[in-house]
Amino acid sequence: MADNEFATCLEDWEDLEKEYVQLEEGHKNYTKLLEQMTAAQKKCVADIAHHRYRIRRIMETLKKVGRDLTEEEVQQREELLQKIKDRKDNFREMEESLPHKNGIYLSIILGQVNVSLLDKGDKFKYKQEYEKFKLTVSNIIMLISLFTYFIQSYRWVDALLNFLLVWYYCTLTIRESILIVNGSRIKGWWLTHHFVSTVCAGISLIWPEGETYQKFRTTYILFTFYLTFVYALQYYYQSGCLYRLRCLGQGHTMDITVEGFMSWMWKGLAFLLPFLFFGYFFQLYNAYTLLMLALESNFREWQVVALAVIHFFLFAGNFLTSLKVIRQKLKDDGRLDFLSKKYKFRNHAHPKTL
Ligand code: COA
């Protein structure tokens, strides 16, 4: 009996040896392809840099010869400038499937580890995960701030809330930097907003217990609750956009058109914007309250003035950037090429039937 089992083992092993030879061959093939791919990536990156350099030189010369051209040459010059613009767009498109260097912030935190996602599906998943992360943590912060509102005398609960906020905003800055490396067009201000918010939560965390702290505490907790509520609303808008744009970008069979997307986006914005602007005026109110408290307490605690300045800075940045975003969207509305350029719809598909 035992002999039989042993013989089966030997037979199995022989069998596996044959399969292993195939596995080894497959792996060798894979490493060779990987080496070829890395070499091709490096070559593409270098070639794009070379083309950019030569285009820069051509542009410099074009600037110099601008004055004494004939009418025909002026027209040729315009055509050339348009071709250069299109070529630059093509470079950007090519770069989406090539590895990128990390910015200074990511290099400091992560070093030169490669965070480039080369596949569109992976980029979409990462962005989706980022939005879900924001929603989950916002919900947790919302619950804690509600709890903190009713528990008056436990400073450690306030500290927990602020600590969570510091961690949340810090994590957002890292995730957003990775998104930017992978081609996301997040405006610089939103990233700055999360850096400044980290500092704001950090200062609130170390603000010593006292009369001034207690006077601002309720307003601050209500503001935190409101902010996370707005983040939750933002999630539904952003993930709706993301899903629809992905369907458009893939020429999906889902019944969606560019016009349909634009109309959905405007409806979403019309719903979201009043909540956002109410939040900005809440920030302005916080800045005013803190300034009054600083004056009242004769600037005894530096945290009060610092927070007043930060709340005002956040109000101004958010308010102006949101106005800029709306203005840009109004300008782009109806220009289908802006969407198709941004999300690279399939060339053969007509926008109406995408
Ligand atoms: N945080 C992170 N990413 C943001 C963002 C924000 N606040 N606002 C926009 N983005 C991202 C978008 O997802 C998009 O990413 P993608 O290129 O990877 O697809 C990119 O930036 C460009 O977005 P854009 O077309 O300019 O705007 P939008 O339609 O996606 O969103 C708003 C417009 C106004 C809804 C959005 O900018 C927003 O929510 N702003 C308010 C943020 C705020 O004020 N927070 C504090 C609350 S008090």
Side-chain angles (χ1 to χ4, degrees):
M1 184 69 184
D3 279 356
N4 260 352
E5 278 175 2
F6 183 62
T8 320
C9 279
L10 288 176
E11 253 172 56
D12 272 357
W13 179 250
E14 288 292 312
D15 212 32
L16 208 57
E17 287 272 41
K18 281 178 208 148
E19 281 182 32
Y20 181 71
V21 175
Q22 281 171 10
L23 168 65
E24 247 184 347
E25 199 56 42
H27 186 261
K28 224 184 261 174
N29 202 15
Y30 162 73
T31 25
K32 207 169 135 194
L33 287 175
L34 204 61
E35 273 167 23
Q36 280 172 0
M37 191 183 82
T38 314
Q41 277 177 346
K42 276 187 187 152
K43 185 167 173 355
C44 275
V45 172
D47 284 351
I48 292 177
H50 172 70
H51 275 256
R52 282 218 168 100
Y53 169 76
R54 289 199 58 185
I55 286 180
R56 255 198 320 275
R57 300 299 296 266
I58 294 173
M59 288 289 281
E60 278 165 19
T61 319
L62 274 181
K63 266 184 209 156
K64 279 182 213 153
V65 297
R67 280 174 229 120
D68 341 288
L69 296 179
T70 63
E71 219 170 278
E72 196 191 339
E73 282 171 336
V74 169
Q75 200 184 339
Q76 280 177 335
R77 184 176 179 269
E78 288 310 306
E79 278 169 14
L80 183 57
L81 284 174
Q82 185 56 44
K83 276 184 193 161
I84 289 176
K85 192 177 167 291
D86 291 345
R87 188 62 53 85
K88 281 183 181 169
D89 285 345
N90 289 347
F91 290 154
R92 242 170 270 138
E93 204 172 310
M94 284 177 189
E95 276 171 342
E96 286 206 6
S97 50
L98 288 168
H100 294 267
K101 272 202 172 151
N102 296 344
I104 298 176
Y105 182 58
L106 279 184
S107 303
I108 293 170
I109 299 178
L110 305 175
Q112 266 313 321
V113 65
N114 184 10
V115 292
S116 303
L117 301 165
L118 304 182
D119 180 64
K120 272 191 182 173
D122 289 341
K123 283 185 193 189
F124 171 74
K125 264 192 232 148
Y126 189 72
K127 174 89 183 188
Q128 209 177 26
E129 218 185 83
Y130 157 82
E131 295 295 348
K132 274 195 194 140
F133 167 79
K134 281 212 294 195
L135 179 70
T136 313
V137 183
S138 293
N139 285 340
I140 295 171
I141 295 174
M142 215 191 295
L143 283 178
I144 297 181
S145 51
L146 203 65
F147 178 68
T148 319
Y149 181 76
F150 292 108
I151 306 282
Q152 289 294 327
S153 51
Y154 292 105
R155 180 62 204 260
W156 67 267
V157 187
D158 295 11
L160 180 75
L161 178 67
N162 281 317
F163 184 75
L164 191 57
L165 282 169
V166 171
W167 174 79
Y168 172 59
Y169 285 124
C170 248
T171 313
L172 283 191
T173 57
I174 300 171
R175 284 188 179 237
E176 281 158 6
S177 302
I178 294 177
L179 282 171
I180 290 171
V181 166
N182 286 292
S184 176
R185 283 150 220 246
I186 301 175
K187 300 236 164 356
W189 167 255
W190 302 129
L191 190 58
T192 311
H193 172 262
H194 295 142
F195 277 115
V196 178
S197 299
T198 312
V199 177
C200 182
I203 295 177
S204 304
L205 181 68
I206 56 167
W207 187 352
E209 173 71 38
E211 204 189 325
T212 330
Y213 176 84
Q214 282 304 331
K215 276 186 184 161
F216 186 62
R217 184 181 179 274
T218 310
T219 312
Y220 179 64
I221 290 167
L222 280 177
F223 174 71
T224 308
F225 178 82
Y226 182 76
L227 197 67
T228 46
F229 165 70
V230 175
Y231 283 150
L233 294 184
Q234 256 175 283
Y235 167 81
Y236 292 104
Y237 169 80
Q238 292 291 5
S239 55
C241 276
L242 187 65
Y243 176 63
R244 280 167 180 78
L245 283 169
R246 174 146 163 98
C247 292
L248 276 170
Q250 287 184 329
H252 214 268
T253 45
M254 187 179 124
D255 189 15
I256 187 164
T257 60
V258 176
E259 290 86 346
F261 167 76
M262 293 303 272
S263 134
W264 183 90
M265 185 195 79
W266 281 116
K267 270 189 211 147
L269 279 178
F271 176 78
L272 186 61
L273 287 173
F275 288 99
L276 284 176
F277 279 89
F278 182 80
Y280 302 157
F281 286 106
F282 203 152
Q283 264 163 345
L284 184 62
Y285 170 75
N286 287 345
Y288 171 77
T289 313
L290 284 160
L291 187 67
M292 288 301 120
L293 283 175
L295 288 171
E296 205 180 283
S297 61
N298 229 353
F299 300 97
R300 227 183 10 255
E301 291 155 340
W302 66 267
Q303 289 89 348
V304 191
V305 193
L307 287 175
V309 173
I310 288 177
H311 276 273
F312 181 78
F313 182 60
L314 289 178
F315 153 76
N318 285 339
F319 187 77
L320 294 175
T321 311
S322 289
L323 285 184
K324 206 170 140 199
V325 169
I326 300 164
R327 208 171 130 247
Q328 184 63 44
K329 281 183 186 290
L330 285 169
K331 224 169 99 190
D332 289 334
D333 196 19
R335 276 182 49 218
L336 303 181
D337 64 313
F338 113 86
L339 267 178
S340 50
K341 251 188 203 148
K342 187 170 172 189
Y343 293 96
K344 291 162 208 79
F345 301 154
R346 293 189 312 190
N347 289 338
H348 60 272
H350 188 276
K352 279 195 185 288
T353 55
L354 278 165

